[in-house]
Amino acid sequence: MSLSDPSTLALESTMDKAAPRRRKLRPWDWAPYVFISPFFILFAVFGVFPMLFSIYLSFHTWDPAAGLSAMRWVGIENYTFTLTDDWFQKSVFNTAWIAVVAGAPQHLIAIPLAFFLHTAFGRWRNAVVGFYFLPFITSSVAIALVFTTLFSRDYGVINQVLTQLGQLPVLEWIFPQQKIDWGQPEYTKWMISFVVFWRYVGWNTVLYLAAMQTIPKDLYEAATMDGAGKLQQFWHITVPMLKPMMFFAITLTIIGNLQLFEEPFIITGGTGGIDQAGKTAAMHMYNTAFMDGDFGTASAVAWLLFIAIALLTWVNNKIFAKSGMKD
Amino acid sequence: MKAKLNPAYLSAYAIVLGGAVIMLMPFWFMFVFATHSDTDILSVPPPMWFGDAFLDNMRLLLGRLPYFWHNLGMSFYVAIATTVLNLFFCSLAGYAFAMFEFKYKEYLFAGVLSTMLLPAFLGMIPSVLIMTGLGWMNEPRALIVPAACGAMGVFMMRQFIGSAIPKELLEAARIDGCGEFGIYWRIVVPLITPAFGTLGLITFIGAWNNFMGPLVIMNDMQMYTVPLALRSLSGTGQVPWGAISAGSAVAVLPLLVLFVITSRRLIEGLTAGAVKA
């Protein structure tokens, strides 16, 4: 039994002390509280307090320039205004659109890619994984700026490649003949989604790869003995065994994509683009607070967004729990 | 391995390598464009190999962003200070969670973990109000102090310390009369340098790339971090592609160097928590 075990301590103190009512505090009784206190102090000051204040703020109308006394109680008006606001609805639609179009392929590609890297790459696996992972660690601002160059209409590399491919036989059915103006509302979301997909597909691949390394090898050996091909092994062993990681990775994607801010913000120059086609809900919150100076409504937007994220995470949890594979 | 060279495998290899090329392409163009003038960049086909206009582009960049070197210094300062504070506070808290028994420990630890689920944007507006109240607007400490002890770091450190250090060692030190902080400083810290490396990398990269924080805190161009400074290039008017590429290259280069040296440890560190959870 260890010295730091509280039951041992209690026993000792009652035995060796004259007044057993109050045991003496040893350094190791209070030290852990001191050691963890920085986290909780910082979280209280810069986490809990701001959040409580933001709830309070969301029920008020307030222009911060006018000082604290200019705060006026409006009840749930900020929430009803936001929910019926066309621009908010549009930004939620954009967010959901990008979340699905950028999010789903991440997983549909990352899982088979990770499987292939896991089974068919030996020595070179780490290098290839590194290439796919690289976008995840680089500055999203630098990345978004580079992509605005690549996506520019007249001289952008992406348009040049696409139209070149459009000249070839057969491929002309898929690829455009004309240069695409990616700034137009019907294309903005595609552009943003591609950048987001590009940035996070490697991260998901790495997550799935790490999970695959924990699947016992004898499962595959047994399957091979029974004559199962690689494809069957993938469907009947890898995919079911990956369910817990799928739950985790998809949760991260939901949380991340619903608060998408930096990529669309840079790509559309902070405006949301023509017709606000690329404006996400987090951008709507930012603009409401810092462009319109309406902190009350912006706080309401933030909390509505938070509720949406919490609900979707919960639904995701239910779906995985129902399929019976979540541990 | 030889048996695998059938057409299906070959095409799969080709797709995976083609994908890797697509992943690297933007970086390649960023570095190539950084060394070409705007007229070169806008030619058809675009330049594929390095040119000699890098210094001109940097001059252009400094014309648009006169404080760029100061911004770069600010980025390093914020990232390094955040990293050092995280290493200290997270390892201290992780040590407490891994090695001590104390009341409410489980609840407190669950509390730490649950803060990871809070989305960053929720604190965006109120943090501005707090920083205004403290008089920290436009100050680097407004970026450093709130980020000085991340939940992810506490979790990582607890996992590592719990698995790497035997409790008997600490008890022996205690019997020898070493104080609680002395044990941490003299025994725990030297034993957890690998974890320091991983957490340091992750924190540094996160702080270096942070955009939302500086965006709402820093008003003064001189106090901008690099991502924020670069962002102001993409405004209205003529877009200086070469200068943007050169600036982006400078912003990404420190991370690329770090990544090439440490990619394996970094990837393992980032996924270790996920696999165990």
Side-chain angles (χ1 to χ4, degrees), chain A residues 2-4 6 27-28 31-33 35-36 38-40 42-43 45-46 49-51 53-54 57 62 113 116-117 119-121 126 128-139 141-143 145-150 152 155 157 160 198 201 203 206-207 210-211 214 230 245 248 255 259 261-262 265-266 285-286 289-290 295 298-299 302-303 305-306 309, chain B residues 4 9 12-13 15-17 19-20 22-24 26-27 29-30 33 42-46 89 92-93 95-97 99-103 108 112 115 117-122 124-126 128-131 134 136 145-146 148-151 154 171 174 180-181 205 209 211-212 215-216 227 230-231 234 241 244 248 252 255-256 259 264 266-267 270-271 274-275:
Chain A
S2 75
L3 256 183
S4 52
W28 51 86
Y33 294 106
F35 291 169
I36 62 171
F39 176 88
F40 288 98
L42 287 174
F43 182 64
V45 176
F46 298 105
F49 175 67
M51 261 184 282
F53 190 66
S54 130
L57 201 55
W62 183 45
L113 177 64
F116 189 67
L117 287 170
T119 52
F121 272 75
N126 283 326
V128 177
V129 170
F131 292 155
Y132 278 90
F133 191 70
L134 189 55
F136 180 72
I137 59 131
T138 43
S139 153
V141 175
I143 285 313
L145 285 172
V146 171
F147 269 105
T148 45
T149 321
L150 299 180
S152 80
Y155 306 101
V157 174
Q160 289 188 32
W198 176 84
V201 69
W203 161 245
V206 162
L207 284 182
T214 66
K230 280 274 181 255
M245 182 50 91
F248 178 74
I255 295 175
Q259 50 177 316
F261 177 77
E262 299 181 7
F265 187 80
I266 304 295
M285 180 202 76
Y286 174 83
F290 298 100
F295 276 49
S299 299
W303 282 101
L305 196 50
F306 176 70
I309 291 176
Chain B
K4 282 177 181 167
Y9 264 94
Y13 277 115
I15 291 172
V16 167
L17 292 178
I22 293 179
M23 299 318 270
L24 290 183
F27 295 105
F29 280 115
M30 176 176 73
F33 287 178
L42 298 182
S43 59
V44 180
F89 288 131
L92 204 55
Y95 165 53
F97 280 123
M99 289 295 165
F100 288 84
E101 298 303 327
F102 51 97
K103 237 181 163 180
L108 290 169
V112 172
T115 63
L117 296 175
L118 292 171
F121 67 84
L122 212 51
M124 193 169 171
I125 294 162
V128 172
L129 302 175
I130 284 219
M131 293 310 167
L134 291 171
W136 285 12
V145 176
C149 187
V154 176
E171 273 150 27
R174 217 167 262 153
E180 293 304 314
F181 186 79
I205 291 171
N209 289 338
F211 175 69
M212 210 190 251
L215 177 68
V216 294
L230 286 179
R231 178 248 163 174
S234 73
W241 297 122
I244 284 186
S248 302
V252 168
L255 299 180
L256 277 186
F259 185 71
R264 218 167 140 188
L266 179 68
I267 292 175
L270 275 169
T271 48
V275 176

Side-chain angles (χ1 to χ4, degrees), chain A residues 65-81:
Chain A
L68 275 174
S69 55
M71 212 179 273
R72 198 165 53 80
W73 172 265
V74 291
I76 59 163
E77 206 173 277
N78 287 330
Y79 287 91
T80 51
F81 169 77

Side-chain angles (χ1 to χ4, degrees), chain A residues 154-233:
Chain A
D154 293 323
Y155 306 101
V157 174
I158 289 170
N159 268 348
Q160 289 188 32
V161 171
L162 288 180
T163 46
Q164 285 295 319
L165 290 172
Q167 308 302 316
L168 301 170
V170 186
L171 290 179
E172 67 189 338
W173 293 96
I174 313 169
F175 291 101
Q177 257 84 93
Q178 247 92 57
K179 285 176 172 163
I180 295 172
D181 187 349
W182 295 97
Q184 289 303 314
E186 64 263 44
Y187 297 118
T188 308
K189 281 194 276 291
W190 286 105
M191 173 165 62
I192 295 167
S193 302
F194 178 76
V195 176
V196 173
F197 163 79
W198 176 84
R199 184 142 191 254
Y200 292 99
V201 69
W203 161 245
N204 284 302
T205 307
V206 162
L207 284 182
Y208 288 122
L209 202 52
M212 279 175 198
Q213 274 151 9
T214 66
I215 301 176
K217 281 211 171 55
D218 29 336
L219 281 180
Y220 293 104
E221 280 161 17
T224 315
M225 298 243 263
D226 291 345
K230 280 274 181 255
L231 208 62
Q232 282 170 305
Q233 293 183 14

